[in-house]
């Protein structure tokens, strides 16, 4: 299953490079210094140009489990939300911090007035969070947030690999079945 409608909001899966996605907000897999990096961060900074790094430098940093917002430079998006997932260490607080990174991103997007947002799979690259553990947190955080009421009409999960996409698709189908939703 590649989408789930919850009220006025569509949750949808895509496979590919997040920098090619048309959405008001692209979420970046950032670090707590809001410094440059590889993976999603490298791709967003390359595609968006230097203004994103300049804004990040002015902000200075962001606690793990939270997020910060900047403009989107040359990207088609209007904003980039820099979400800081935890480095995975098998600690009990890892899940709470990952949840916090997703929840803070949604709040910042809503406060900015965004209608659509695209998330990568936060934490599951360089930061080592196993995607089997991270994906349910991502989907359940977003679904709970949407059910509580949101101005967002589209939430995209952009998975880089087919394997990650298919794992998300299974989880989305499970959730739709459990709630009798399509
Ligand atoms: N579009 C969508 N997903 C991508 C892309 C892309 N262009 N590139 C990679 N992925 P990561 P993290 C997937 O490492 O684990 C950086 O250096 C990737 O396959 O980008 O949160 C930052 O500066 C993986 O599934 O983010 C931080 O220091 C997922 O995106 C640190 O890495 C996240 O991988 C953050 O690590």
């Amino acid at each position: 299953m590649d989408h789930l409608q919850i009220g006025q909001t569509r949750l949808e899966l895509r496979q590919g490079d997040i920098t090619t996605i048309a959405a008001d907000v692209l979420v970046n897999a950032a670090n707590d210094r809001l410094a440059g990096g590889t993976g999603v961060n490298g791709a967003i900074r390359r595609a968006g140009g230097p203004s994103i790094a300049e804004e990040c430098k002015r902000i200075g940093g962001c606690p793990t489990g939270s997020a910060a917002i900047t403009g989107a430079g040359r990207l088609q998006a209007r904003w980039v939300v820099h979400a800081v997932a935890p480095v995975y260490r098998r600690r009990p607080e890892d899940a709470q911090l990952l949840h916090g990174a997703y929840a803070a991103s949604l709040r910042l997007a809503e406060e900015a007035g965004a209608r659509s947002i695209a998330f990568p799979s936060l934490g599951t690259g360089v930061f080592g969070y196993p995607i089997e553990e991270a994906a349910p947190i991502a989907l359940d955080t977003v679904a709970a947030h949407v059910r509580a009421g949101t101005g967002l009409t589209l939430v995209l999960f952009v998975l880089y690999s087919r394997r990650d996409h298919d794992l998300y698709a299974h989880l989305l189908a499970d959730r739709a079945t459990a709630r009798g939703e399509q």
Side-chain angles (χ1 to χ4, degrees):
M1 168 170 273
D2 70 354
H3 70 274
L4 180 64
Q5 187 76 30
I6 303 177
Q8 301 300 307
T9 310
R10 181 180 170 92
L11 273 54
E12 188 178 318
L13 310 184
R14 301 270 179 90
Q15 192 201 338
D17 177 355
I18 196 167
T19 62
T20 68
I21 296 289
D24 292 341
V25 169
L26 297 190
V27 179
N28 182 20
N31 53 60
D32 60 2
R33 292 169 294 120
L34 297 181
T38 57
V40 176
N41 200 352
I44 283 183
R45 283 160 185 257
R46 268 194 308 280
S51 66
I52 297 176
E54 284 157 19
E55 277 191 70
C56 282
K57 202 170 171 189
R58 273 200 295 278
I59 297 168
C62 175
T64 299
S66 188
I69 190 165
T70 67
R74 295 195 292 258
L75 290 162
Q76 326 173 43
R78 296 175 68 189
W79 301 279
V80 173
V81 164
H82 305 266
V84 187
V87 175
Y88 185 71
R89 296 199 184 91
R90 297 176 191 277
R91 299 165 303 182
E93 61 265 39
D94 288 343
Q96 197 51 40
L97 291 168
L98 188 62
H99 164 85
Y102 279 96
S105 300
L106 292 163
R107 281 196 301 273
L108 285 173
E110 287 165 350
E111 283 164 19
R115 306 287 287 169
S116 56
I117 183 168
F119 283 100
S121 175
L122 297 173
T124 64
V126 172
F127 280 179
Y129 214 115
I131 194 155
E132 293 77 7
E133 291 180 39
I137 295 171
L139 287 174
D140 291 342
T141 300
V142 170
H145 190 94
V146 165
R147 287 195 178 92
T150 181
L152 293 162
T153 55
L154 180 63
V155 181
L156 297 171
F157 295 94
V158 185
L159 292 319
Y160 210 36
S161 69
R162 171 55 53 182
R163 181 185 167 274
D164 290 355
H165 173 278
D166 291 351
L167 187 141
Y168 264 70
H170 278 296
L171 292 172
L172 208 57
D174 287 348
R175 279 149 182 76
T177 309
R179 292 195 158 255
E181 287 165 343
Q182 308 271 339

